Amino acid sequence: DAEITQSPRHKITETGRQVTLACHQTWNHNNMFWYRQDLGHGLRLIHYSYGVQDTNKGEVSDGYSVSRSNTEDLPLTLESAASSQTSVYFCASSAGDVGGKTEAFFGQGTRLTVV
Amino acid sequence: SQQGEEDPQALSIQEGENATMNCSYKTSINNLQWYRQNSGRGLVHLILIRSNEREKHSGRLRVTLDTSKKSSSLLITASRAADTASYFCATDTFGNEKLTFGTGTRLTIIP
């Protein structure tokens, strides 16, 4: 069965370190997204991609970067981790609006703690 | 900024009762979707309604959309304990397939 997986599920890192969160999907979806979820804020979009070599900034992109070298993967990098980036991170993918297919499939999330 | 705002923020009802959650959004949309999130898990898609549709059903779920008021409601009939979760609305716009989420409604079903 097709799926979307995130790794690691839990991560503790120190302030100032570079951290990369992995996201891998086997749906062959064009669209991939990274969100962060914080209490009281719901899900906020960090970065997204509509295809290979395409990346776009979301509403909370400062301090984060992504790259899309293939269809399956969209790793999220925190350049220099800060305590404000302690959060739960979700990756999602969608086929795109081909016949209305904007339904998103989510990974299980990565809980990141910056100390 | 959040596109959608859910109301109420939290809702507790007895098992078997109906649960209604509302979502308001700010700009014109292409689609509106509802998702469920169980504690500690990722979001799961429930239902999608297009901007030219007014009502949609799926099992015990009924979604309405009023584009003139920029609002939507999700009705869960005959609630079950397993419906306990957070529910989010999400919108996308014409020519832009990224989803913008609201802050969610936490639903608790009391057995």
Side-chain angles (χ1 to χ4, degrees):
Chain A
D1 290 345
E3 60 181 0
I4 180 166
T5 56
Q6 294 182 232
S7 62
R9 293 294 311 278
H10 302 273
K11 174 79 176 177
I12 300 174
T13 191
E14 294 179 343
T15 300
R17 288 193 179 268
Q18 183 181 79
V19 177
T20 296
L21 310 182
C23 176
H24 179 80
Q25 54 102 359
T26 58
W27 291 98
N28 198 34
H29 283 165
N30 289 323
N31 302 340
M32 295 185 73
F33 310 89
W34 274 104
Y35 292 88
R36 60 178 288 174
Q37 185 175 31
D38 304 286
L39 198 62
H41 290 279
L43 280 83
R44 293 182 290 176
L45 184 62
I46 305 172
H47 281 285
Y48 59 102
S49 168
Y50 289 149
V52 177
Q53 302 301 332
D54 175 75
T55 60
N56 305 279
K57 294 181 178 180
E59 63 176 306
V60 289
S61 61
D62 287 350
Y64 303 94
S65 64
V66 293
S67 62
R68 187 90 179 269
S69 59
N70 58 52
T71 299
E72 296 80 16
D73 300 289
L74 187 71
L76 176 71
T77 297
L78 286 69
E79 305 293 345
S80 177
S83 58
S84 60
Q85 295 177 308
T86 292
S87 185
V88 180
Y89 292 84
F90 286 99
C91 180
S93 70
S94 69
D97 199 8
V98 177
K101 296 296 184 183
T102 58
E103 168 190 357
F105 295 81
F106 279 78
Q108 292 299 302
T110 294
R111 183 176 297 275
L112 177 68
T113 303
V114 182
V115 298
Chain B
S1 61
Q2 300 295 135
Q3 164 73 315
E5 296 290 336
E6 282 89 341
D7 171 59
Q9 290 187 344
L11 177 64
S12 292
I13 61 172
Q14 296 287 333
E15 191 169 18
E17 294 181 339
N18 296 341
T20 299
M21 289 159 271
N22 303 296
C23 167
S24 60
Y25 56 91
K26 299 174 184 175
T27 63
S28 295
I29 63 170
N30 185 22
N31 304 298
L32 186 143
Q33 305 179 40
W34 285 90
Y35 288 79
R36 183 187 72 230
Q37 183 181 33
N38 291 94
S39 181
R41 307 294 295 273
L43 280 73
V44 174
H45 179 264
L46 295 175
I47 193 166
L48 178 152
I49 187 165
R50 290 187 169 277
S51 60
N52 61 357
E53 297 176 315
R54 292 297 167 257
E55 187 171 315
K56 203 159 184 182
H57 296 254
S58 177
R60 294 184 297 112
L61 305 180
R62 172 178 169 251
V63 171
T64 61
L65 179 64
D66 187 335
T67 54
S68 67
K69 295 181 179 179
K70 292 186 169 58
S71 67
S72 173
S73 67
L74 172 68
L75 168 67
I76 303 174
T77 60
S79 63
R80 306 168 182 170
D83 295 328
T84 293
S86 291
Y87 292 82
F88 295 87
C89 67
T91 58
D92 63 80
T93 58
F94 291 98
N96 197 335
E97 295 163 4
K98 63 179 182 177
L99 291 178
T100 303
F101 285 82
T103 52
T105 292
R106 183 187 302 271
L107 175 65
T108 301
I109 308 300
I110 304 167

